[in-house]
Amino acid sequence: IIVLSLLLLAMLAAPAAAASTFSLKVNDKAYDGEFSVIDGTTIVPLDFAGSIIGAQTTVENEQIKIEKDKAVMMLTLNSKQASFNQKQEDMLQAPARNNDTYMVPLRYVMESFGTQVEWNPATYEIIVKPVVLTEAEKTFAQIPGVMIKSNTYKMKIASKMDMDMTMDGEDLQMSMSSTVNASMSQNPLILVADTIMNIDAFTGTEEEIPADLLKTQIVLNEDGYFMTMPGQEGWVKAEMEGIDFNKLMEQYGSQDPIRVILQMKEFGAVISEKEDQVIDGKTYGVLHIVMGQEAYAKYLNDMIGKTGLLGMGVNEEDNAEFEAEMKELLNNFKADIAYDIIYDKDTLLPSNIKQDTVTSLSMTVPADEANGTPASEMQMKMNQKAEYQIYDYGIAFPVPIIDDYKTMDELMAEMTAEIPEEI
């Protein structure tokens, strides 16, 4: 018992002894300057962090600014809140001041500017490996910054979608086209969009969809996400329990293709250069972005997990079964997405973006014993092409004033009340 107790004490003491021997390497060279590790976060001097990534650093009134090219990070002493290219984020540790030295979180600063930080638990080594960006990646990294600087712009989006679906041996084909006229503001985040969708072809069913039911208007502002609904008068505010519509639009859409591509890049989208294009006598650069199935699956899972879409309208009792079904659905959902960004080589502002997407889904629809329906197989394939024309950078635009609206719950209650009791 005494021997086993001593062995146990030795095992418990070993990690504590090792924890005090952290080392930091940059480009395979040991760093012997000041740094510390607080709850798993490495804290280093601001000047040292700036020198690694080649950034300019300034401090004024407890505000820390780190700037490289056109990317800007803003930190505040003793605050875990940060801003990178005007996007608000949270850090694990706050910047601090140690005598005359300003200390900042290493990983957050490095990885925001594209530099990789690794951790070797066997040797307690913190390893900084600057990522070598291609020329295409360097160019793309600057585009969001110049768009944010212009702050406002307009877009006209034309898209075409063809869908084929087979279920229980029955085929359904549908072709849709749409036009979107949108105005965007980056700060504050405002979106105003008018959408017209047309059903160009619909076979395999006798149901008709009137074209005038497919006109909608969207307004996203600091008060929320508002829309007009087909067949309904007035504005509806998108509020549903468990769904953060503002986060959904801010992080994963907003009709802003650059924001979408930025998100995709984080999950493995590949960026390359294509041949320049001459338009009206002016030479434009072209970036090609491709997102394969594996990267898209990660992107989709992140979007659903962070916005609450997975559990929408599902009670706790059925949640486990529903999550399992959704997981199978996502595993069977395949997508290949490609973008071409045509940009002004002088200003780096995009003037045109072309999107080409192919998605497919194959799954088994489980049997419903309560309704007596057997299990069935479903296959779906969808091809979508879209073209974004981006213009009027830096020009203000009108925003509708919304002082009267219904919530989504109120609208659903009204629609439910209109259903005849005998149904």
Side-chain angles (χ1 to χ4, degrees):
I1 293 174
I2 293 174
V3 172
L4 291 175
S5 298
L6 290 173
L7 286 173
L8 179 60
L9 286 171
M11 292 171 63
L12 291 172
S20 61
T21 57
F22 291 102
S23 63
L24 176 58
K25 288 185 176 180
V26 180
N27 289 334
D28 294 326
K29 294 182 180 180
Y31 168 70
D32 57 3
E34 179 182 2
F35 79 97
S36 60
V37 178
I38 303 174
D39 294 333
T41 299
T42 305
I43 308 296
V44 299
L46 171 63
D47 291 343
F48 172 64
S51 67
I52 296 176
I53 57 178
Q56 294 180 336
T57 61
T58 56
V59 180
E60 184 176 353
N61 297 328
E62 297 190 347
Q63 296 292 312
I64 300 172
K65 183 177 183 180
I66 304 174
E67 187 173 10
K68 180 182 180 182
D69 298 327
K70 296 181 180 180
V72 179
M73 175 180 290
M74 299 298 298
L75 311 175
T76 303
L77 282 179
N78 304 314
S79 173
K80 293 182 180 181
Q81 293 185 335
S83 168
F84 186 69
N85 288 340
Q86 298 186 356
K87 179 182 177 182
Q88 301 300 313
E89 298 175 325
D90 292 327
M91 301 179 291
L92 296 177
Q93 292 294 333
R97 183 175 180 177
N98 185 8
N99 296 322
D100 293 330
T101 303
Y102 294 91
M103 309 292 288
V104 296
L106 175 69
R107 182 182 292 274
Y108 177 78
V109 174
M110 294 296 102
E111 295 189 345
S112 295
F113 285 94
T115 296
Q116 185 178 356
V117 177
E118 297 180 353
W119 160 245
N120 188 333
T123 60
Y124 278 76
E125 286 182 325
I126 303 139
I127 305 165
V128 179
K129 292 183 176 180
V131 176
V132 179
L133 298 178
T134 65
E135 290 302 317
E137 290 171 331
K138 290 178 182 178
T139 300
F140 179 74
Q142 297 178 68
I143 288 177
V146 297
M147 294 184 72
I148 288 172
K149 188 175 181 180
S150 69
N151 195 38
T152 59
Y153 51 90
K154 295 180 181 178
M155 291 186 295
K156 185 174 182 179
I157 309 165
S159 67
K160 174 78 173 178
M161 183 196 73
D162 295 315
M163 183 187 74
D164 293 324
M165 184 171 71
T166 302
M167 189 168 182
D168 287 340
E170 297 184 3
D171 295 328
L172 175 69
Q173 292 87 36
M174 182 171 65
S175 294
M176 296 179 61
S177 58
S178 68
T179 301
V180 180
N181 287 289
S183 300
M184 284 285 304
S185 167
Q186 299 281 349
N187 186 26
L189 179 61
I190 298 174
L191 165 68
V192 179
D194 293 292
T195 302
I196 300 176
M197 299 181 67
N198 297 305
I199 305 295
D200 302 317
F202 200 0
T203 62
T205 178
E206 297 180 356
E207 184 176 356
E208 294 185 3
I209 302 178
D212 59 354
L213 290 183
L214 299 173
K215 297 180 180 180
T216 60
Q217 188 174 17
I218 295 170
V219 173
L220 172 68
N221 57 28
E222 60 183 5
D223 296 321
Y225 180 62
F226 303 87
M227 67 182 76
T228 59
M229 303 287 288
Q232 300 292 325
E233 294 185 0
W235 291 97
V236 177
K237 185 176 184 180
E239 286 184 342
M240 296 186 70
E241 185 177 356
I243 306 297
D244 190 335
F245 279 96
N246 275 43
K247 179 177 286 187
L248 179 65
M249 295 302 293
E250 288 179 13
Q251 296 189 5
Y252 300 98
S254 301
Q255 300 287 354
D256 184 347
I258 297 298
R259 192 183 298 270
V260 172
I261 295 170
L262 275 172
Q263 291 288 334
M264 291 179 172
K265 184 177 181 299
E266 294 180 7
F267 293 94
V270 178
I271 302 174
S272 60
E273 289 182 300
K274 294 179 71 174
E275 289 187 10
D276 292 346
Q277 290 190 13
V278 178
I279 303 174
D280 295 331
K282 183 179 176 65
T283 302
Y284 289 81
V286 183
L287 296 177
H288 185 60
I289 296 95
V290 176
M291 189 174 207
Q293 295 180 6
E294 183 178 350
Y296 186 78
K298 293 178 182 178
Y299 169 74
L300 193 62
N301 274 286
D302 183 79
M303 179 184 71
I304 291 174
K306 288 184 177 178
T307 57
L309 288 173
L310 188 62
M312 182 176 63
V314 181
N315 57 47
E316 294 183 3
E317 297 175 354
D318 299 330
N319 192 56
E321 181 180 354
F322 178 76
E323 285 191 359
E325 292 175 355
M326 286 299 297
K327 185 176 181 180
E328 179 184 358
L329 177 67
L330 293 176
N331 288 338
N332 291 317
F333 187 82
K334 309 298 182 185
D336 288 296
I337 304 175
Y339 288 90
D340 281 344
I341 301 177
I342 302 171
Y343 65 94
D344 188 312
K345 300 189 75 172
D346 296 325
T347 65
L348 297 182
L349 289 170
S351 62
N352 188 284
I353 299 177
K354 296 181 180 180
Q355 175 193 353
D356 193 348
T357 303
V358 178
T359 56
S360 62
L361 173 66
S362 178
M363 67 174 296
T364 300
V365 180
D368 188 339
E369 296 181 1
N371 295 321
T373 57
S376 58
E377 297 295 323
M378 183 185 76
Q379 292 84 35
M380 183 185 73
K381 185 174 182 180
M382 184 172 67
N383 296 306
Q384 182 179 19
K385 295 182 182 295
E387 183 171 353
Y388 301 73
Q389 297 177 13
I390 309 176
Y391 57 99
D392 282 358
Y393 284 100
I395 299 176
F397 57 86
V399 179
I401 298 174
I402 302 175
D403 50 17
D404 185 25
Y405 59 85
K406 300 175 184 178
T407 65
M408 189 71 73
D409 288 336
E410 290 172 342
L411 176 63
M412 295 299 293
E414 289 181 4
M415 295 175 67
T416 302
E418 293 175 359
I419 300 175
E421 294 182 1
E422 61 269 17
I423 293 182

